[in-house]
Amino acid sequence: MASASNAHSVTRVVRIASAVGALCVAIAAFAAGTEPTAQWWRWLAVLVVSIAAGLPRIYVRRGGSRRMHTWGETAFILGLVLLPAGQLVLTTTAAAGAAAALRRQPMRKVIFNTSVVAIVSTVGVAIALPARLYASSPAWDRLFSPAPFGLVVAAALMSPLISTALTARVVAAERAVRKTSDGNEAYRAAVSMSLRNVIAGILLVAALG
């Protein structure tokens, strides 16, 4: 009985995340319709880099949990320069689904992970929007002005905070507890990995510029 109850709780969390993710995609699609369409090579570059960033799996074990980390923030920072906000959310979400499918994850995990990426990408582009990094001709150096730089770092660091919180809810639901005992450690590990990714993204943009 407890196992069935736990499964129902997990399903509920996944459904909520999926609904919010779908709303984010709908908002992004509407925004993309009002934006200038980026050149095809930009879409392709961000898509390929995002899929490649989502394939390597770095596992960090904390307590009884093993959490997976990727290079998503690196691709996100590149995307902020190459694509308008709505198109970036659509591209990173599609790439997350493709990467999860290539890893042959169970469908529920594909849906959950893709939804999480849609959510964190939407929050990230909303934070970074005032930086105005996108331009018809790539403005690589714009990232390195103080205000845009701070906004981009803040936007990228939201990803581990939100994704860790959502993943923790699933784990807590599986274990039928209010919260996991390794929560603080999970956040510290996620932010540490994200900082590595942010540095890599900044170095990538600097090299391309």
Side-chain angles (χ1 to χ4, degrees):
M1 182 67 70
S3 178
S5 177
N6 294 359
H8 178 72
S9 297
V10 171
T11 299
R12 184 170 62 249
V13 174
V14 171
R15 284 177 177 172
I16 291 171
S18 300
V20 176
L23 177 61
C24 290
V25 170
I27 293 171
F30 176 80
T34 66
E35 297 167 344
T37 303
Q39 295 151 296
W40 67 269
W41 66 266
R42 296 189 184 205
W43 281 78
L44 183 61
V46 176
L47 183 65
V48 170
V49 172
S50 297
I51 292 174
L55 288 177
R57 290 171 286 183
I58 301 171
Y59 290 101
V60 177
R61 184 172 291 280
R62 288 291 185 274
S65 299
R66 190 178 71 153
R67 301 179 188 273
M68 184 186 76
H69 301 275
T70 67
W71 293 85
E73 294 85 358
T74 303
F76 177 75
I77 290 175
L78 176 66
L80 286 172
V81 178
L82 291 180
L83 294 176
Q87 294 167 55
L88 176 56
V89 172
L90 295 177
T91 304
T92 54
T93 302
L102 287 171
R103 290 198 301 264
R104 297 183 179 180
Q105 293 181 331
M107 183 52 63
R108 185 167 70 174
K109 204 164 188 177
V110 171
I111 293 171
F112 177 76
N113 289 342
T114 303
S115 299
V116 170
V117 169
I119 295 167
V120 300
S121 296
T122 300
V123 174
V125 298
I127 293 172
L129 200 58
R132 300 182 182 277
L133 294 182
Y134 173 78
S136 56
S137 178
W140 303 106
D141 59 338
R142 192 174 296 178
L143 169 63
F144 300 100
S145 300
F149 186 86
L151 287 170
V152 167
V153 172
L157 289 179
M158 285 304 298
S159 175
L161 299 179
I162 296 173
S163 60
T164 301
L166 292 172
T167 302
R169 287 303 305 154
V170 172
V171 174
E174 287 177 339
R175 299 177 182 175
V177 296
R178 293 183 65 86
K179 65 177 182 178
T180 56
S181 58
D182 61 340
N184 292 336
E185 285 293 331
Y187 281 108
R188 280 194 285 269
V191 170
S192 175
M193 288 290 186
S194 183
L195 283 172
R196 174 209 62 178
N197 297 348
V198 169
I199 292 170
I202 291 169
L203 291 176
L204 176 60
V205 171
L208 292 170

